[in-house]
Amino acid sequence: MGRLYCGILGLIAFVTICARGWIHREETLSIMWAGWLAMIAFAAVGLIIGWIAGRTIEDSVNTFIAEELAAHQAALAAQAKELEGRVE
Protein backbone atom coordinates (compact mmCIF):
# COMPACT_ATOMS: atom_id res chain seq x y z
CA MET A 1 0.00 0.00 0.00
CA GLY A 2 2.94 2.30 0.68
CA ARG A 3 4.19 2.05 -2.88
CA LEU A 4 0.74 2.86 -4.23
CA TYR A 5 0.42 6.02 -2.10
CA CYS A 6 4.01 6.91 -2.96
CA GLY A 7 3.31 6.79 -6.68
CA ILE A 8 0.00 8.61 -6.51
CA LEU A 9 1.14 11.49 -4.28
CA GLY A 10 4.44 11.88 -6.14
CA LEU A 11 2.74 12.06 -9.52
CA ILE A 12 0.07 14.50 -8.29
CA ALA A 13 2.76 16.77 -6.83
CA PHE A 14 4.80 16.69 -10.04
CA VAL A 15 1.82 17.47 -12.28
CA THR A 16 0.60 20.23 -9.97
CA ILE A 17 3.98 21.95 -9.86
CA CYS A 18 4.38 21.66 -13.63
CA ALA A 19 0.91 23.09 -14.26
CA ARG A 20 1.60 25.98 -11.85
CA GLY A 21 4.89 26.70 -13.59
CA TRP A 22 3.38 26.72 -17.06
CA ILE A 23 0.49 28.93 -15.93
CA HIS A 24 2.95 31.45 -14.49
CA ARG A 25 5.20 31.11 -17.56
CA GLU A 26 8.28 30.08 -15.61
CA GLU A 27 11.43 28.66 -17.14
CA THR A 28 11.20 25.01 -18.16
CA LEU A 29 14.30 24.00 -16.24
CA SER A 30 13.05 25.60 -13.02
CA ILE A 31 9.61 23.98 -13.50
CA MET A 32 11.17 20.54 -13.92
CA TRP A 33 13.53 21.04 -10.98
CA ALA A 34 10.69 22.15 -8.67
CA GLY A 35 8.47 19.34 -9.96
CA TRP A 36 11.17 16.75 -9.35
CA LEU A 37 11.79 17.98 -5.80
CA ALA A 38 8.06 18.06 -5.04
CA MET A 39 7.67 14.56 -6.48
CA ILE A 40 10.46 13.19 -4.25
CA ALA A 41 9.10 14.92 -1.14
CA PHE A 42 5.48 13.85 -1.66
CA ALA A 43 6.51 10.34 -2.66
CA ALA A 44 8.32 10.01 0.67
CA VAL A 45 5.26 11.31 2.53
CA GLY A 46 3.04 8.93 0.55
CA LEU A 47 5.30 6.00 1.38
CA ILE A 48 5.04 6.74 5.09
CA ILE A 49 1.27 7.30 4.99
CA GLY A 50 0.76 4.14 2.95
CA TRP A 51 2.89 2.09 5.33
CA ILE A 52 0.90 3.35 8.32
CA ALA A 53 -2.39 2.65 6.54
CA GLY A 54 -1.26 -0.85 5.57
CA ARG A 55 -0.17 -1.68 9.12
CA THR A 56 -3.45 -0.34 10.53
CA ILE A 57 -5.54 -2.45 8.17
CA GLU A 58 -3.36 -5.51 8.75
CA ASP A 59 -3.64 -5.19 12.54
CA SER A 60 -7.40 -4.70 12.30
CA VAL A 61 -7.85 -7.78 10.14
CA ASN A 62 -5.60 -9.88 12.40
CA THR A 63 -7.58 -8.79 15.49
CA PHE A 64 -10.88 -9.59 13.79
CA ILE A 65 -9.70 -13.03 12.70
CA ALA A 66 -8.34 -13.82 16.18
CA GLU A 67 -11.66 -12.83 17.79
CA GLU A 68 -13.66 -14.90 15.32
CA LEU A 69 -11.37 -17.89 15.83
CA ALA A 70 -11.68 -17.62 19.62
CA ALA A 71 -15.48 -17.44 19.37
CA HIS A 72 -15.54 -20.45 17.07
CA GLN A 73 -13.27 -22.46 19.38
CA ALA A 74 -15.45 -21.57 22.38
CA ALA A 75 -18.55 -22.74 20.50
CA LEU A 76 -16.83 -26.01 19.60
CA ALA A 77 -15.75 -26.54 23.20
CA ALA A 78 -19.33 -25.96 24.38
CA GLN A 79 -20.64 -28.48 21.84
CA ALA A 80 -18.02 -31.03 22.89
CA LYS A 81 -18.99 -30.60 26.54
CA GLU A 82 -22.65 -31.02 25.65
CA LEU A 83 -21.95 -34.19 23.70
CA GLU A 84 -19.80 -35.53 26.56
CA GLY A 85 -22.71 -35.03 28.94
CA ARG A 86 -25.06 -36.97 26.66
CA VAL A 87 -22.69 -39.93 26.28
CA GLU A 88 -22.28 -40.46 30.02
Side-chain angles (χ1 to χ4, degrees), residues 66-80:
E67 289 171 355
E68 288 293 316
L69 184 59
H72 184 67
Q73 287 176 341
L76 286 177
Q79 283 179 348

Side-chain angles (χ1 to χ4, degrees), residues 11-88:
L11 183 61
I12 288 173
F14 181 78
V15 170
T16 302
I17 294 296
C18 288
R20 181 190 60 91
W22 286 321
I23 288 171
H24 294 290
R25 296 195 183 354
E26 294 176 7
E27 247 184 77
T28 304
L29 186 60
S30 68
I31 293 172
M32 291 298 143
W33 181 249
W36 183 77
L37 290 175
M39 181 179 66
I40 297 299
F42 277 81
V45 169
L47 187 63
I48 293 167
I49 290 171
W51 180 81
I52 291 170
R55 286 292 303 186
T56 303
I57 291 170
E58 191 176 302
D59 289 345
S60 175
V61 169
N62 286 341
T63 301
F64 178 76
I65 289 173
E67 289 171 355
E68 288 293 316
L69 184 59
H72 184 67
Q73 287 176 341
L76 286 177
Q79 283 179 348
K81 224 176 204 187
E82 184 182 318
L83 287 176
E84 234 176 59
R86 287 185 187 172
V87 171
E88 293 175 0

